Amino acid sequence: MRPFIVAGNWKMNKTLEEGKALVREVLARFDQPPYGLVVFAVPFPLLQAVGALLSERPGFSLAAQNCHHEEKGAYTGEVSVDMLASVGAKYVIIGHSERRQYFRESHEQLARKVNLALSRGLTPIFCCGEPLSVRERNNHVSYVARQLRASLFHLSEADMCRVVIAYEPVWAIGTGKTATADQAQEMHAALRTLLARRYSPNTAQLIPILYGGSCNAQNAPDLFQQPDVDGGLIGGASLKAEEFSAIIRAMRF
Ligand code: 13P
């Protein structure tokens, strides 16, 4: 069965000392490994230090928030998947709406990032999600289907089974406006149907689909009860140890 995952995406927040303190505070709240998997997606300069804190802790893992779509070379300021793997990252977020919007990342670039991550043994957390105008026209399912077709559906079935998908409606990110549990379930079920058609029903059942967008300790239990919601990608609420820990405890059994 697919794993349940709660991932904290810190975005561009936390210095080294602040980040280490936050991770220590979360870890201190768990004597036993969490029911599912907890992932910290931290800024590049913090990866190694946070990884060291997580290394002896089963159930906790390390992610980067982005990678470059080329293997290496003259790309000043960029970070390659090999570098991420070399400092212990196991996951990498690809195609976050902030990257698509502010950095104009294209479907094709995202497909190349997915390929590179998989080739180096990193698990892509591939983000998709529609802006408000698309939802208002009721075109949200076809919009997100296009994102998957353009950047994921070239993968072999074996490679697809190594991907985590995160559905993050753009209108819910950082706005305090969460998708309702029904809206999340509708989209997650639609995504699973797309996966079943492109690959197989069995593969569709194996791929975790996380929800992201103003997920917090209050709404997580409801969202996580939905049968096709396999966890959350948490922004703002992952920056506070108490709240993030409460979201981890809301994981569905
Ligand atoms: P918020 O939880 O702050 O809305 O952010 C969601 C997100 O973008 C996680 O990747």
Side-chain angles (χ1 to χ4, degrees), residues 9 11 93 96 98 168 172-175 212-215 233-237:
N9 175 11
K11 308 191 180 184
I93 297 175
H96 193 282
E98 288 150 16
E168 299 205 307
I173 296 177
T175 58
S214 298
C215 186
L233 183 54
I234 320 297

Side-chain angles (χ1 to χ4, degrees), residues 31-194:
D31 294 339
Q32 303 290 323
Y35 164 70
L37 181 67
V38 177
V39 178
F40 290 91
V42 307
F44 293 137
L46 279 61
L47 278 167
Q48 203 167 4
V50 169
L53 294 175
L54 302 179
S55 64
E56 304 288 310
R57 296 295 302 253
F60 292 90
S61 194
L62 183 68
Q65 298 174 12
N66 182 33
C67 62
H68 197 258
H69 58 273
E70 297 286 351
E71 279 188 49
K72 60 160 125 175
Y75 302 99
T76 302
E78 293 296 326
V79 173
S80 72
V81 285
D82 280 332
M83 294 171 194
L84 299 179
S86 75
V87 293
K90 303 284 184 255
Y91 294 77
V92 55
I93 297 175
I94 293 175
H96 193 282
S97 67
E98 288 150 16
R99 303 281 330 163
R100 294 177 191 259
Q101 185 181 349
Y102 304 136
F103 301 93
R104 302 256 172 268
E105 293 190 354
S106 68
H107 295 308
E108 198 243 328
Q109 282 172 331
L110 300 181
R112 292 171 69 184
K113 291 181 188 213
V114 168
N115 293 345
L116 268 177
L118 288 169
S119 76
R120 302 305 199 278
L122 270 81
T123 299
I125 301 177
F126 181 83
C127 300
C128 57
E130 81 287 355
L132 184 59
S133 58
V134 170
R135 161 99 19 198
E136 284 171 346
R137 290 198 304 275
N138 210 27
N139 285 338
H140 45 288
V141 172
S142 56
Y143 185 96
V144 172
R146 183 159 169 261
Q147 291 179 320
L148 262 56
R149 272 199 297 274
S151 304
L152 286 184
F153 280 6
H154 63 283
L155 294 175
S156 69
E157 189 155 7
D159 277 346
M160 191 64 213
C161 289
R162 296 164 54 208
V163 173
V164 173
I165 294 175
Y167 169 56
E168 299 205 307
V170 178
W171 47 271
I173 296 177
T175 58
K177 199 174 161 194
T178 328
T180 63
D182 285 348
Q183 285 173 321
Q185 170 57 26
E186 181 214 22
M187 180 60 92
H188 286 225
L191 291 173
R192 219 176 288 289
T193 301
L194 283 169

